[in-house]
Amino acid sequence: MEVIDLPMPEPAADQVLLRISYVGFCGSDLNTWRGRNALALKPVIPGHEISAVIEKVGENVPANLQTGQLVTVDPYTACGNCPSCRRRRFNACQHNETLGVQRHGAMREFICVPWQKVIPAEGIAAKDIALIEPMSVGFHAVDRGQVTDSDTVLVIGCGMIGVGAIVRASLRGATVIAMDLDDEKLALARELGASATVNSGSEDVHARLQELTNGAGPDVVIEAVGATPTYNCAVNEVAFTGRIVCIGYAPGDVPLPTRFFVQKELDIRGSRNALPDDFRAVIRYLRRGSCPTDRLISSIVKPEAAAEAMVAWDSAPGKVFRILVNF
């Protein structure tokens, strides 16, 4: 990882020039840095968790987007023609290219983006705006699980994505159980709306979940880790006719107890990225001012210190929520 010089961009028609304030590093950036992200350009400018200010607008940009406005960015592309796009599930476009992965991202002082991807975010602190995109991924997973106030929801993994799922499931009135290996994360999960927690490293997970659900199991399980044990846990522990939502990318194929697919008549659903409505839902939540955002930001560094921050993150990945780079 190194800091380089780039030419100053100029917005074309239908584009907005953004002056970047903060950008968050996510797990995909860590895997790119480790050399394990097969989808990423090599080399690539990372960054898709964006807090920015509109610096300049090009021709044909709507009047509601003005210079000086605090904004975030929908960092995904949509081709408009694939099966996902035809069903208006643009977040799962077959040909999606995410900023900082398949195309150069926002870890820079200035970037031009299509105005359609700019989402106003006034009323939120600039550093907190960089949390909108990762939280929206968890919000979207709750939507995929069709969570209601009659559901008990188990969220496996209390990292940044899991946090988003805990918050939205709680906002929908569900009973939320958070599961993780880290007691500090579980304590934060309670602050964010979880009514119960399970430490999978020190407790009997099955016995605890049976106790919490009166022997039924959770109606919805949201897998936000991406590992063989947690995928198996989701299938084993979900209630009969329950719903499993998978966010985590496992590094390889996962053998699953497939008899439960039929025996429990399960709905197993993937959840990828987020939709603009999920972004706006997170913005409404953060505007309340009740989210302990300082607890979600592990550190803020300048670009010159980003490489050092990556080394520290790689050495203790379970202790980091978000590293923000301040431009």
Side-chain angles (χ1 to χ4, degrees), residues 28 31-46 100-104:
S28 65
N31 280 329
T32 299
W33 180 81
R34 287 167 165 169
R36 299 177 190 169
N37 189 347
L39 298 176
L41 294 173
K42 296 178 179 62
V44 67
I45 300 169
V101 186
Q102 295 95 342
R103 56 194 174 121
H104 290 307

Side-chain angles (χ1 to χ4, degrees), residues 85-100:
C85 289
R86 290 199 297 270
R87 296 183 181 105
R88 304 192 66 76
R89 289 166 64 177
F90 303 109
N91 59 296
C93 174
Q94 184 176 348
H95 307 292
N96 168 66
E97 293 185 353
T98 299
L99 284 172

